[in-house]
Amino acid sequence: MLHVAVVGSGPSGVYAAQGLVQQSQVPGVRVDVLDRLPCPYGLVRYGVAPDHEKIKSLQNNLRTVLEHERVRFLGGVQVGPDGVPTSRLRELYHAVVYCVGAATDRRLGVPGEELPGSWSATEFVSWYSAHPDAAPDGFVLGARAAVVIGVGNVAVDVTRMLARGAAELSPTDMPQAALAALSHSQVREIQMVGRRGPSQARFTTKELRELGALPDTEVVVDPEELALDPAYTDPSGLPAAQRRNVEVLRGWATQPPRGGSRRIRLRFFLRPVEFLADQGSVGAVRFERTAPDGHGGVTGTGRYEDIDAQLVLRSVGYRGVPIDGLPFDAEHGTVPHLAGRVLRDNSVAPGEYVAGWIKRGPTGVIGTNRPCAKETVSSLLEDAPVLARRELPDDPLAALRAEGLRPVEWAGWRAIEQAELELGASLGRGVVKLPDWDSLLAAARARAS
Ligand SMILES: Cc1cc2nc3c(=O)[nH]c(=O)nc-3n(C[C@H](O)[C@H](O)[C@H](O)COP(=O)(O)OP(=O)(O)OC[C@H]3O[C@@H](n4cnc5c(N)ncnc54)[C@H](O)[C@@H]3O)c2cc1C
Ligand SMILES: NC(=O)c1ccc[n+]([C@@H]2O[C@H](COP(=O)([O-])OP(=O)(O)OC[C@H]3O[C@@H](n4cnc5c(N)ncnc54)[C@H](OP(=O)(O)O)[C@@H]3O)[C@@H](O)[C@H]2O)c1
């Protein structure tokens, strides 16, 4: 019988576990899904925006996998230097599938990026999602104008969260401190800025349209800035998704002002070159105006524009972090692989696999991880006859416990869910997430025992 460790309980980890237990090629595979957090579901819990309840409810589909009789969830188990070494996992399991995502942010590499008031979208998302490692409050405190750098779906998410009011945020599972801070936010103007043109923006049309439906918020675009993109004037050659984006933007460019107490400006052809300080914190971002180079890229024009902002969110993509003991492609932030099999010095490392963002890089929606995990599982199952030859301890969990590990098991996670329901009820809200390690672990340990 094959015993597999899946490291990471985000979509790719859960889809990998599902693929392993729902197949007949190698019967009886058992899977332990390890996560450094006491809570499962990765970015579905700690990334998907709280006001996207329908997507959040995908957690219920993932739950059925983690409740499968041959799957165990082991939360609070860090794999790597401060936890279980990768080499130890290899001793305990026939195979290990790393599905650890892309936990950090890409950098712009421009002066002033580290000024107080400049945050990565990753940090802001973690805060409003109650990630226990999130920075404390202070994002919107004292800010009246915000700049969001990047025009992907995460940029749209954080822009929308800045523009939402208390009435819309209160029914979400957002932690109470973030709800209070965003409800009292004085941010009135949010500029979301792309370095290329509207036809090259990475956001999807459904997400873009949502900005136009926000209550009490006006969306503003400058038709002249949009027209710098030749594809704006003639979108006939664009793929359907980009054409739809351009049509939505054109609609906003031609509509009469709608008014509202908040304004979202979508800006294009501006690349950030410097963050300017005002009394020690960020006060503005200097952008260089760009022009299309005719090949999908842009060139600088030597003309600059400063946009005032006391809050800057850099939303220019996530980035994978190396796992000690695994090879790492630093340029792409991924683990090198061949059809999901980890490659060490260009050779397949038997028994080690990857899936999800750490395999492909930080792009793709939840569903993209399903075929990605399927490919990895197919490789693993092909290798199963060789992998299964190794004699291993009967129960890796017993061995880990003997080494002092106290994982949060499924009952512990269910106890966290119950505590979040009770916290919400006490605040007159629905489920409200516990935002810190102490309260998560206390809930898990108190009720699970
Ligand atoms: C802000 C944001 C919003 C998004 N919103 C949507 C959306 O609305 N709809 C949509 O379809 N897609 C959305 N996506 C994309 C989607 O979330 C990703 O495609 C998906 O989560 C990637 O899955 P993954 O399993 O590779 O990584 P993750 O979901 O990041 O899961 C990785 C897991 O590994 C664990 N882990 C990491 N390191 C270790 C370690 N050393 N030891 C043990 N465990 C570890 C982490 O705790 C985490 O649980 C969003 C992405 C982001 C960033
Ligand atoms: N609702 C949803 O379905 C949803 C929500 C959130 C996230 N997601 C998915 O999660 C994935 C990650 O999203 P993401 O928004 O983080 O990444 P993304 O889609 O890759 O967008 C990154 C943005 O940052 C810009 N950028 C990169 N480097 C830059 C630089 N140096 N200066 C200025 N701009 C720079 C990019 O511009 P260029 O194009 O010019 O490089 C792009 O606009 C995506 O696949 C996304 O669709 C989905």
Side-chain angles (χ1 to χ4, degrees), residues 8 11-12 35-36 42-43 47 55 77 79 99-100 318 357 364-366 369:
S12 63
D35 203 294
R36 60 181 292 272
L43 284 169
I55 304 174
V77 179
V79 173
C99 304
V100 292
Y318 279 57
W357 276 17
V365 293
I366 294 166
N369 298 292

Side-chain angles (χ1 to χ4, degrees), residues 52 55 106-108 149-155 157 193-196 200-204 207 270-272 315-318 357 362-365:
H52 278 174
I55 304 174
R106 291 187 59 218
R107 294 275 139 163
L108 287 169
I149 299 174
V151 283
N153 276 332
V154 173
D157 273 355
V193 188
R195 61 180 170 177
R196 297 192 288 159
Q200 287 129 358
R202 301 271 186 97
F203 44 59
T204 40
E207 280 60 35
L270 291 168
R271 75 171 167 218
S315 184
V316 296
Y318 279 57
W357 276 17
T363 59
V365 293

Side-chain angles (χ1 to χ4, degrees), residues 7-14 34-37 39-44 46-49 52 55 58 77-80 99-103 125 128 131 154 157 207 318 321 323 355-358 360 363-369:
V7 183
S9 64
S12 63
V14 176
L34 282 52
D35 203 294
R36 60 181 292 272
L37 298 176
C39 311
Y41 312 135
L43 284 169
V44 185
Y46 288 117
V48 171
H52 278 174
I55 304 174
L58 272 174
V77 179
Q78 166 91 26
V79 173
C99 304
V100 292
V125 167
Y128 68 58
H131 193 292
V154 173
D157 273 355
E207 280 60 35
Y318 279 57
V321 291
I323 293 257
W357 276 17
I358 194 64
R360 307 190 313 273
T363 59
V365 293
I366 294 166
T368 320
N369 298 292

Side-chain angles (χ1 to χ4, degrees), residues 140 142-147 159 161-166 181-191 215-220 259-265 308-311:
V140 292
R144 299 170 309 284
V147 160
T159 298
M161 295 311 290
L162 283 173
R164 284 228 185 266
L182 288 174
S183 302
H184 294 111
S185 161
Q186 293 303 309
V187 174
R188 292 287 170 261
E189 168 118 351
I190 307 147
Q191 303 216 30
D216 197 23
T217 302
E218 182 174 38
V219 179
V220 179
S261 70
R262 295 187 202 88
R263 189 159 47 192
I264 296 173
R265 279 181 191 275
D308 288 346
Q310 302 77 41
L311 167 65

Side-chain angles (χ1 to χ4, degrees), residues 36-40 45-46 76 129-134 408 411-417 419-420 423 432-448:
R36 60 181 292 272
L37 298 176
C39 311
R45 177 173 162 93
Y46 288 117
S129 302
H131 193 292
D133 291 339
V408 173
W413 159 242
R414 296 306 303 261
I416 291 173
E417 284 190 305
E420 294 188 333
L423 173 63
V432 173
K433 281 169 154 178
L434 299 172
D436 56 77
W437 282 100
D438 286 349
S439 52
L440 287 168
L441 292 177
R445 307 255 188 257
R447 321 258 184 113

